[in-house]
Amino acid sequence: MNNLAPIIISALMISLMGGALSIFVVLKRLAFIGQGISHAAFGGVGIALFLGLHGATTAGAIGQLTIVVAFSILAALWIAALSRSHKGRTDTAIGVVLSASMALGFILFTVAESRHAHDDHGHAAHGHEDEHHIIEEILFGNILNTDWNKATIAIIASLAILTFTWFIRRKLIFWAFDQPVMDAYGLNSKRLTNTFLATLAIAIVMSMQIAGVVLAAAILVLPGAAALNLTAKLKPAFTYAILIALAGAGFGLLLGFKAHYPVGPAIVLAQSIIYLATLIIKTIAIRS
Amino acid sequence: MPQAFNVASQSATASEPAVRIQGVSYTYPATGIDSSAVQALDSIDLNIQPRTKLGILGPNGGGKSTLIKLILGILKPSKGSISIFNNTPTKARNRGLIGYLPQRIEADLDWPISVREVVSLARTCHRKPWAKPSVEDREAIDRSLELVDLQDLADRPIGALSGGQLQRAMIARAIAIEPKLLVLDEPMVGVDIAGQQRFGQLINTLQERLGLTVIVVSHDMRAIAAVADRIACLSRTLHFHDAPEGLNPAVLAQVFAHDVAGVFGDIHIDAHRAEDCDDPSHNPCGCDHTDENNTNNSEGNQ
């Protein structure tokens, strides 16, 4: 196992960012869009692998990350554009983008792997095992691979996203609360939608480092959903969401290190349990 | 080009109009393979003087919402030009000159946000991110809440308000930016007559206190009558009638199938024009009298 510090710092920073964004994701009902973007990122991974960009070298890792981020942002903007052209049928748009990207990603992945096996005669069986391992990492994440290089990217990206979101917070609140009239108040709803979805795409790619394609979006939903069970005020909701995200990350890391569970799924499971607990608290509070 | 209709308040002199609409047409492009372009507005000319309250009456599908979107700068005219206090609509909107009350409140009422925060947002969303709301901001927000009589509910969650209170909150949001023009889009759908009168009084008070120019569009003449002191009729083209008293009830009754006299009270019926209207070749209102569907729709929305 690598040095623990970059792993812990990355997990906490990404969770902190996920906690803050999750309030907007939940209130603007973007959870399913998040799923769409994260699955679309699989297409980006396929393209990167097809181009021979593996995570083994630093240059390869940066190249891969760039392509995955670019592809995810394009997928997010494509979902936004399709939603507009289908008169707001976002579910159809997500269905199209998600399936097309997954299909593209897996075909390119298979082509890249078969090319790899073909180059190394006699190592076909070994390559097959690698293939399963790589797919598993892409789908469910492997934060234990995080070194200081990856941690640095995670820290910078998380801080940049947090700062940017804080800068446009008032516009985002207006947008998420009452998008239909915001243009009449001199705000550009189309531009803001695209901006937030692009930001969300970067956040999801960062979260994939923890939880992979399948679970990344959960990190951007669960803390906000749990926090909003506890309060009907906006500022406390952000505070609770961040605390819940960090607590979930802490529990997940602990389970990962002590019980050798996969860390990403453990973080998501911990946040889910906290969500259930807040749901129970809310139900009891309403009844009493 | 036909001469523009001029909407002036009794006291207004020939000053620069608040809203100047010149030769405006708008055509919606085709949206799919089985649809074609639809002309919503045709050669609209209209000058609205400051501090008037213009009601724009028209059937559903008559282009009212399109005209509002053009005034707000959300759509650009296919032909012609619009100026709002000597600005393009986009500039006027971005300078906070236009307050807008939407037809349907589509805001997410489950939001964890207070009435005061909703009203504040209209002002503070344009502030620098590090700038806290100024004293002027806070005063304008408090004054807006007081004017719509919501100061006691200001700290309640927005979702806790009744329908009428919610509408007043949205009016407070519209006037919090201290606009010069207030645009009300079908403000009284589903509101009873007493509610309409209260709404009319509120708009009157706001107009007098804040010196606003008001545009209200509706398919419902009672809504128009409750608010407006000038009326224009819009059905793709614009037909201006100087005041409610000048409207021809026979025409309106034909278009909207309402008991007009019951709405406008003791009004002067111009027999000559009523006869004209019976003649299909002469249609002073210009509305589509033969469209039974529109008639039914407007009734169904009462």
Side-chain angles (χ1 to χ4, degrees):
Chain A
M1 191 180 288
N2 282 336
N3 184 2
L4 288 185
I7 298 172
I8 293 171
I9 290 173
S10 303
L12 292 180
M13 277 309 296
I14 292 169
S15 300
L16 177 71
M17 170 201 69
L21 284 192
S22 66
I23 293 288
F24 289 112
V25 173
V26 171
L27 287 174
K28 189 62 184 158
R29 296 162 212 257
L30 300 175
F32 193 44
I33 287 193
Q35 284 290 350
I37 296 171
S38 70
H39 283 72
F42 188 77
V45 177
I47 293 172
L49 291 176
F50 180 76
L51 295 173
L53 297 167
H54 290 266
T57 64
T58 308
I62 290 173
Q64 193 184 57
L65 185 68
T66 309
I67 287 180
V68 175
V69 166
F71 194 80
S72 305
I73 289 175
L74 281 178
L77 299 182
W78 194 24
I79 289 173
L82 280 177
S83 308
R84 279 192 288 271
S85 68
H86 285 74
K87 290 186 180 168
R89 272 186 217 150
T90 314
D91 54 344
T92 309
I94 296 167
V96 170
V97 173
L98 186 154
S99 325
S101 302
M102 286 293 279
L104 175 75
F106 195 69
I107 287 172
L108 292 179
F109 179 81
T110 311
V111 170
E113 285 306 305
S114 68
R115 201 168 51 194
H116 183 68
H118 187 71
D119 288 346
D120 303 331
H121 290 294
H123 294 85
H126 203 64
H128 205 63
E129 268 175 34
D130 276 353
E131 189 179 322
H132 279 299
H133 185 62
I134 293 171
I135 285 274
E136 200 178 285
E137 269 193 29
I138 297 169
L139 292 183
F140 295 102
N142 186 4
I143 199 168
L144 299 182
N145 273 347
T146 305
D147 54 19
W148 275 115
N149 285 340
K150 286 185 181 170
T152 307
I153 293 173
I155 292 165
I156 292 172
S158 301
L159 285 177
I161 288 173
L162 281 172
T163 310
F164 180 66
T165 309
W166 184 82
F167 261 67
I168 60 168
R169 67 192 183 284
R170 289 176 182 141
K171 291 183 174 71
L172 281 178
I173 291 169
F174 201 134
W175 169 74
F177 170 65
D178 199 359
Q179 186 182 351
V181 303
M182 66 186 290
D183 288 291
Y185 282 85
L187 298 169
N188 188 328
S189 67
K190 184 178 164 187
R191 192 164 64 201
L192 202 60
T193 304
N194 287 342
T195 303
F196 187 74
L197 287 184
T199 309
L200 188 63
I202 301 171
I204 284 170
V205 174
M206 289 299 122
S207 304
M208 278 168 57
Q209 197 176 330
I210 298 182
V213 164
V214 178
L215 299 177
I219 291 176
L220 288 145
V221 173
L222 285 167
L228 289 164
N229 280 335
L230 298 178
T231 178
K233 289 188 173 157
L234 207 50
K235 275 185 189 165
F238 278 103
T239 311
Y240 291 157
I242 288 168
L243 291 177
I244 288 165
L246 292 177
F251 277 123
L253 287 169
L254 211 60
L255 277 174
F257 295 151
K258 295 283 180 195
H260 300 290
Y261 289 169
V263 175
I267 289 176
V268 172
L269 197 62
Q271 290 185 349
S272 305
I273 291 168
I274 297 174
Y275 170 74
L276 275 180
T278 58
L279 200 60
I280 293 168
I281 292 169
K282 183 188 177 186
T283 311
I284 292 171
I286 288 172
R287 289 198 178 167
S288 61
Chain B
M1 182 176 289
Q3 195 181 352
F5 293 119
N6 282 289
V7 184
S9 65
Q10 276 102 2
S11 59
T13 55
S15 56
E16 185 62 30
V19 178
R20 183 195 290 277
I21 299 175
Q22 287 178 310
V24 165
S25 299
Y26 187 80
T27 303
Y28 284 99
T31 53
I33 50 173
D34 54 352
S35 71
S36 52
V38 177
Q39 185 174 34
L41 294 173
D42 183 13
S43 305
I44 305 292
D45 286 290
L46 177 67
N47 290 333
I48 305 172
Q49 295 301 327
R51 295 175 182 245
T52 44
K53 290 176 288 178
L54 174 69
I56 299 178
L57 183 66
N60 294 332
K64 302 187 299 294
S65 295
T66 306
L67 185 60
I68 284 193
K69 284 179 185 162
L70 290 166
I71 289 171
L72 291 169
I74 293 169
L75 295 176
K76 304 272 177 266
S78 312
K79 263 196 281 182
S81 68
I82 299 178
S83 113
I84 318 270
F85 294 103
N86 288 326
N87 292 280
T88 63
T90 312
K91 269 190 190 162
R93 183 189 75 189
N94 292 347
R95 288 178 182 172
L97 295 177
I98 311 175
Y100 169 62
L101 182 71
Q103 178 175 358
R104 281 190 308 274
I105 294 169
E106 294 178 83
D108 185 349
L109 300 178
D110 291 335
W111 251 74
I113 192 168
S114 71
V115 177
R116 186 188 300 280
E117 284 171 317
V118 169
V119 175
S120 309
L121 266 183
R123 280 185 83 94
T124 57
C125 67
H126 294 291
R127 296 278 179 274
K128 296 270 183 289
W130 50 87
K132 293 201 163 170
S134 64
V135 176
E136 293 84 48
D137 286 338
R138 284 199 295 272
E139 282 174 0
I141 291 156
D142 287 339
R143 194 167 52 243
S144 304
L145 287 163
E146 274 174 36
L147 280 168
V148 301
D149 197 23
L150 279 181
Q151 66 275 28
D152 296 336
L153 303 177
D155 295 315
R156 292 249 184 111
I158 190 78
L161 299 188
S162 71
Q165 290 167 343
L166 186 62
Q167 191 179 46
R168 281 189 277 139
M170 294 309 178
I171 293 171
R173 179 174 73 176
I175 58 172
I177 58 172
E178 299 178 276
K180 292 165 83 174
L181 172 68
L182 183 61
V183 178
L184 310 168
D185 187 0
E186 296 276 6
M188 289 186 241
V189 173
V191 178
D192 61 20
I193 291 177
Q196 290 180 351
Q197 281 167 352
R198 280 197 301 274
F199 183 84
Q201 283 161 5
L202 173 62
I203 299 299
N204 273 334
T205 309
L206 294 179
Q207 196 265 339
E208 283 164 16
R209 296 272 300 271
L210 305 173
L212 293 166
T213 305
V214 179
I215 299 175
V216 54
V217 307
S218 182
H219 66 273
D220 179 357
M221 68 182 69
R222 281 179 298 205
I224 297 279
V227 175
D229 53 21
R230 296 289 181 275
I231 295 184
C233 180
L234 181 69
S235 182
R236 202 162 62 86
T237 52
L238 189 72
H239 301 270
F240 178 64
H241 304 264
D242 188 50
E245 291 77 10
L247 271 179
N248 184 329
V251 171
L252 291 171
Q254 267 188 300
V255 177
F256 292 99
H258 278 291
D259 179 1
V260 185
V263 177
F264 286 112
D266 184 18
I267 54 177
H268 170 68
I269 298 175
D270 183 335
H272 174 70
R273 290 180 67 184
E275 277 166 21
D276 283 345
C277 193
D278 289 332
D279 175 6
S281 65
H282 186 95
N283 180 358
C285 182
C287 301
D288 185 357
H289 297 192
T290 56
D291 190 343
E292 287 301 321
N293 287 334
N294 276 340
T295 307
N296 293 338
N297 282 344
S298 58
E299 257 196 325
N301 284 334
Q302 298 312 299

